[in-house]
Amino acid sequence: MAEFSWDIRSPLDRALVAGPYGARGDAGVALTEIRNFDLVQVMARRGKAAELAKAAKDRFSVAAPEMPKAVGTADATLIWSGPDQFFVLSKGGKHSIGALAPPFAGSASLSDQSHARVLISVSGAKARAMLAKLSSIDLHADAFAIGAAAATSMDHTSVTLWRGNDRDGLAVFNVLVFATFAESLWHTMLDSAAEYGVAINHSEELA
Amino acid sequence: MRITCPFCGERELGEFTYLGDAKPVRPAADAGEDVVYDYVYLRDNIAGVMSENWYHGGGCRAWLKVTRNTLTHEISAVEAAAGAGARQASK
Ligand SMILES: [Zn+2]
């Protein structure tokens, strides 16, 4: 019998080829897959929204988002994902599902999404122009400020979108997509960004 | 057509799925056969203002109750369906 070893791989392992793509010259768009994160979905149990809000405040020292926003803490990002629910995005196991189970016991149901979603960071001078082809959300800085978030669709695929802190004075958009749809959305993003030139990469660092 | 989700804000039609008339109410367990038949099969075909169920599947995955004029597509009210979440973003 052939030996088989389970090897944790990104769903974009085959599709993502690091390096330049599309138009030559300075890349207008940087597409970076962020790997190896902890992602837990926290959903209030029926009638327990207020208790969940308190438990989240105790755990993270900031109020969890109750409207489409992303809130940064010292070592995690809390991202609104729907009414009475949010994601906890972090690294290194401190806010893994095992770590979050005790503080949220009774107020919320938790679901480990760490390997169920792909996280793509979209940045660069033409990031907004590229995303405008795929998103019906108004991404103008006045309408979608730092920390704004949306549960929405891109190319008929459900995504969680939020704007992180600026990098080099430019907006950074983060997209969480279901793992099984990630390759399809990735190719669509490459097609949309090709005319601006793309810098493709992957990273272990959360933006 | 756009629908202003009480949780997400204004979104395009493509993010939503239409379910149908929001008026029918599930009859009691001991209701007669005629009442159950009506509930399961019979629907009014309204040319005008109608209360409808819509699902924001491409967004927050909440059920919404939408008041829409079927002749003009004018939407006069959108509210969260019962049990769809405690806090509403656009309030
Ligand atoms: Zn919504």
Side-chain angles (χ1 to χ4, degrees), chain B residues 5 7-8 56 59-60:
Chain B
C5 172
F7 303 109
C8 300
H56 195 187
C60 65

Side-chain angles (χ1 to χ4, degrees), chain A residues 41 43 46 49-50 53 66-68 80-85 136-137 149-153 156-159, chain B residues 5 7-12 14-15 56-62 82-91:
Chain A
Q41 187 152 35
M43 307 174 86
R46 193 185 301 273
E66 292 178 349
M67 50 169 61
W80 185 91
S81 66
D84 300 334
Q85 54 179 277
S136 60
I137 304 282
T152 184
S153 298
H156 306 284
T157 301
S158 278
V159 298
Chain B
C5 172
F7 303 109
C8 300
E10 189 179 336
R11 295 296 173 83
E12 47 136 348
E15 290 195 357
H56 195 187
C60 65
R61 305 177 307 285
R87 290 170 179 78
Q88 301 188 14
S90 62
K91 278 198 171 171

